[in-house]
């Protein structure tokens, strides 16, 4: 199994480490040809405006959207969650736009509002997940086949839709690989 | 879920923001218009300051924290993180910037130091700090005080990359020394470098700095920016290099692309075409030591 990690900018190294821990081969995606032969794709955290622009400039946006529509499993964290959403409140920034989600950017405020907390996530079992939120977005609401996996304080923080998985927090900044493993299960299916 | 405790201002969330900036370019801007150009070019953050380093050099005088109104104007103009500079040791400027809700504070040698003995105890703040360093010892002293991100000092406002190269090479050399040392040698290395022993152990374990390390100080071209990435930096600050050049918007975009694709010489050659003149700059080798900013702080 080979997972591509979008490597234009952001927390690439951390996702690579998490996937290697699960025994999976990874490849950095910088150009469209890097998408060939991958079984899944990770969109890491970073700056969503920067990443959106680079996706367009390097002609990656449309190929990734096409692969996603054909069923390639894609996991987006933070920026990745924003890029995968069809709707970004109050913004016309570039996006891949595959999920029936409504996203609020920098929803908690600036860096001083960034936080960490242990939150139970039923889909992952009894042990709470240590979540790290950095200038994080959240999902207001989901439609269609999109489904919330974690709702906390009325905000959707982990969601999936068929082959797609998104989190508002950064599992790659912790040693807990349960969400990465949950994503890999979408490939095995 | 009533007993969930949210913790803000932890070292984890501070370093977490730095991790998200990796592979990106942070640009110096002096007004909202420049901030918008930077964001449009693909900057991951902007550094709000009153004068870019080359103007501080040219005009002289005391360089201080920026006008809060200007910082707020920039915060309102862009959605990317906004950083701002405080003078070395100026604990009140730092508190003001924290109160302004900036995303990162640069305790910077580019401004005139307020304290010639002590740096800010950065662990006492909720806002993250980035600090300059010329070698591993200096980097680890700043991290020991709570810095969540390091940058090379380079020589700001010169457009001459030689000092930034010297500093990252020195950091790399020092890290290699720690990595190849036997455990019994580490305390002596800590003493030689003037670095906290626990952080030397951390470097030994990780094989790199325990926080993100950006390049700064003299980067003027896409090739300069890519050079710093090749040498192992996690990203790049560009100060005077953009808005003191002929075509800031085009140069800013080219530098962003050169950092994202720093191993792709063909692409960097392509984006370097027709950028107009880079900032004129000033060779560090021709400068008197008293005119160098990197010697500020310890």
């Amino acid at each position: 199994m080979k997972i591509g990690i979008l490597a234009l900018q952001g927390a690439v190294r951390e996702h690579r480490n998490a996937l290697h821990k699960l025994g999976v081969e990874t490849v950095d995606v910088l150009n469209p040809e890097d998408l060939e032969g991958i079984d899944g794709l990770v969109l890491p955290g970073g700056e969503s405006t920067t990443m959106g622009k680079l996706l367009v400039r390097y002609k990656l946006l449309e190929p990734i959207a096409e692969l996603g529509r054909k069923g390639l499993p894609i996991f987006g964290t933070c920026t990745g969650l924003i890029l995968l959403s069809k709707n970004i409140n109050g913004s016309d920034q570039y996006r891949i736009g595959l999920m029936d989600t409504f996203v609020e950017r920098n929803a908690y405020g600036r860096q001083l509002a960034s936080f960490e907390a242990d939150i139970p996530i039923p889909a992952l079992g009894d042990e709470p997940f240590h979540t790290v939120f950095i200038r994080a977005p959240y999902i207001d609401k989901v439609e269609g086949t999109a489904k919330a996996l974690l709702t906390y304080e009325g905000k959707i923080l982990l969601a999936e839709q068929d082959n797609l998985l998104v989190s508002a927090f950064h599992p790659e900044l912790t040693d807990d690989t349960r969400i990465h493993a949950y994503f890999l299960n979408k490939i095995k299916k | 879920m009533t007993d969930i405790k949210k913790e803000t201002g932890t070292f984890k969330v501070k370093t977490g923001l730095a991790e998200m900036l990796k592979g990106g370019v942070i640009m110096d801007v002096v007004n909202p218009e420049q901030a918008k150009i930077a964001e449009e070019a693909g900057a991951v953050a902007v550094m709000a300051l009153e004068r870019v380093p080359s103007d501080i050099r040219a005009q002289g005088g005391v360089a201080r924290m920026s006008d809060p109104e200007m910082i707020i104007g920039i915060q309102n103009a862009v959605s990317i993180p906004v950083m701002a500079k405080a003078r070395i040791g100026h604990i009140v400027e730092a508190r003001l910037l924290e109160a302004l809700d900036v995303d990162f504070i640069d305790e910077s040698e580019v401004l005139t130091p307020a304290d010639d003995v002590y740096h800010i105890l950065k662990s006492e703040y909720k806002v993250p700090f980035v600090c300059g360093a010329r070698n591993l010892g200096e980097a680890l002293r700043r991290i020991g005080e709570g810095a969540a991100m390091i940058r090379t000092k380079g020589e700001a406002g010169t457009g001459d990359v030689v000092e930034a190269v010297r500093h990252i090479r020195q950091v790399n050399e020092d890290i290699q020394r720690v990595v190849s040392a036997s455990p019994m040698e580490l305390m002596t290395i800590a003493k030689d470098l003037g670095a906290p022993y626990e952080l030397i152990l951390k470097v030994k374990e990780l094989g790199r700095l325990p926080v993100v390390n950006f390049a700064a100080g003299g980067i003027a071209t896409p090739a300069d920016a890519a050079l710093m990435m090749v040498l192992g930096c996690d990203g790049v600050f560009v100060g005077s290099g953009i808005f003191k050049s002929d075509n800031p918007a085009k140069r800013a975009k080219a530098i962003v692309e050169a950092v994202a694709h720093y191993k792709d010489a063909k692409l960097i050659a392509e984006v370097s075409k027709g950028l107009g003149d880079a900032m004129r700059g000033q060779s560090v080798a021709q400068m008197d030591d008293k005119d160098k900013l990197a010697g500020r702080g310890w």
Side-chain angles (χ1 to χ4, degrees), chain B residues 20-85:
Chain B
M20 297 310 139
L21 301 173
K22 284 194 306 236
V25 181
I26 300 167
M27 302 182 191
D28 277 3
V29 297
V30 301
N31 56 47
E33 291 68 37
Q34 289 187 353
K36 279 184 188 151
I37 292 170
E39 183 176 51
E40 188 51 43
V44 289
V46 290
M47 176 73 70
L49 74 177
E50 212 150 46
R51 294 180 284 170
V52 293
S54 67
D55 285 339
I56 292 173
R57 270 184 194 289
Q59 296 160 6
V62 176
R64 309 179 179 90
M65 183 194 106
S66 301
D67 178 352
E69 202 171 327
M70 184 273 264
I71 294 170
I72 293 165
I74 289 172
Q75 285 173 324
N76 291 337
V78 295
S79 68
I80 55 178
V82 176
M83 304 184 167
K85 289 183 194 285

Side-chain angles (χ1 to χ4, degrees), chain A residues 7-14 17 28 30-31 44-51 53-54 57-58 60 77-79 93-94 105-106 108-122 130-135 150-153 155 170 172-175, chain B residues 1 4-24 39-45 74-76 78-82 98-104 126-128 208 211-212 234 253-254 256-261 263-264 267 271:
Chain A
L8 293 169
Q9 194 266 312
V12 179
R13 179 170 68 205
E14 289 73 13
N17 292 346
D28 288 356
L30 280 160
N31 293 297
E47 263 311 307
S48 68
T49 52
T50 305
M51 237 183 271
K53 285 177 209 301
L54 290 171
R57 275 182 224 164
Y58 293 102
L60 280 161
T77 54
C78 191
T79 285
Q93 69 190 89
Y94 295 117
R105 276 192 65 195
N106 298 338
Y108 290 91
R110 297 181 181 280
Q111 171 62 12
L112 286 178
S114 293
F115 66 95
E116 49 185 321
D118 290 314
I119 306 180
I121 301 174
H130 190 71
T131 55
V132 183
F133 293 81
I134 309 290
R135 285 173 47 99
L150 170 65
T151 306
Y152 171 59
E153 295 177 328
K155 293 146 189 164
H170 293 281
E172 76 278 15
L173 292 182
T174 69
D175 293 327
Chain B
M1 285 200 225
I4 291 171
K5 196 168 139 237
K6 273 190 185 175
E7 285 188 280
T8 58
T10 60
F11 195 60
K12 183 99 190 166
V13 302
K14 290 175 177 176
T15 53
L17 178 54
E19 302 290 354
M20 297 310 139
L21 301 173
K22 284 194 306 236
E39 183 176 51
E40 188 51 43
V44 289
I74 289 172
Q75 285 173 324
N76 291 337
V78 295
S79 68
I80 55 178
V82 176
E98 185 178 52
L100 289 168
D101 209 1
V102 301
D103 293 293
F104 238 104
K126 290 216 157 198
V127 63
R208 57 175 170 82
V211 303
V212 165
D234 294 311
K253 198 170 153 219
V256 167
E257 300 192 21
V259 168
H261 292 266
K263 290 177 188 162
D264 192 336
L267 183 145
V271 301

Side-chain angles (χ1 to χ4, degrees), chain B residues 234-248:
Chain B
D234 294 311
V236 174
F237 283 90
V238 188
S240 323
I242 290 172
F243 289 99
K244 285 292 168 188
S245 73
D246 270 5
N247 189 339

